[in-house]
Amino acid sequence: MPCVIPGLTQNVCLTIIYNVSSQKLKDSFVQCVNSEQGETCDLEVNYNPVNTDLTIRVPFTIEGELTFTDNFQAFCVTTGVNITT
């Protein structure tokens, strides 16, 4: 009988760096936000006129459930992605 752990949540911060001049995505990454350690992620948009990079940071809350099977394999399913306000 598998073991299912529902209701897991994690706050994350999505950062997108887009170069306006070249019209290309330079980088994007997700970072975990640990609010217990005072970490925060706020909705933020910055433009650097020198290198024409547009940086966008968006806070999300990811919801999911973890399942352990009879042969000790683990599977995680994302059940929700919500913008944190």
Side-chain angles (χ1 to χ4, degrees):
M1 180 89 174
C3 173
V4 179
I5 305 170
L8 301 174
T9 60
Q10 174 63 52
N11 293 329
V12 298
C13 190
L14 170 65
T15 301
I16 300 169
I17 303 171
Y18 177 79
N19 187 272
V20 176
S21 293
S22 67
Q23 298 180 355
K24 292 187 179 179
L25 180 67
K26 286 181 74 174
D27 199 5
S28 66
F29 50 91
V30 173
Q31 294 172 292
C32 290
V33 177
N34 189 340
S35 55
E36 292 176 4
Q37 294 181 354
E39 296 175 359
T40 62
C41 177
D42 298 318
L43 182 60
E44 183 180 333
V45 177
N46 291 310
Y47 178 71
N48 183 331
V50 175
N51 61 12
T52 67
D53 282 351
L54 178 66
T55 302
I56 303 168
R57 291 174 47 98
V58 184
F60 286 97
T61 299
I62 306 297
E63 301 170 356
E65 70 179 31
L66 181 63
T67 301
F68 293 100
T69 64
D70 294 338
N71 57 355
F72 293 100
Q73 290 183 330
F75 300 94
C76 184
V77 176
T78 302
T79 58
V81 178
N82 301 300
I83 292 180
T84 308
T85 55

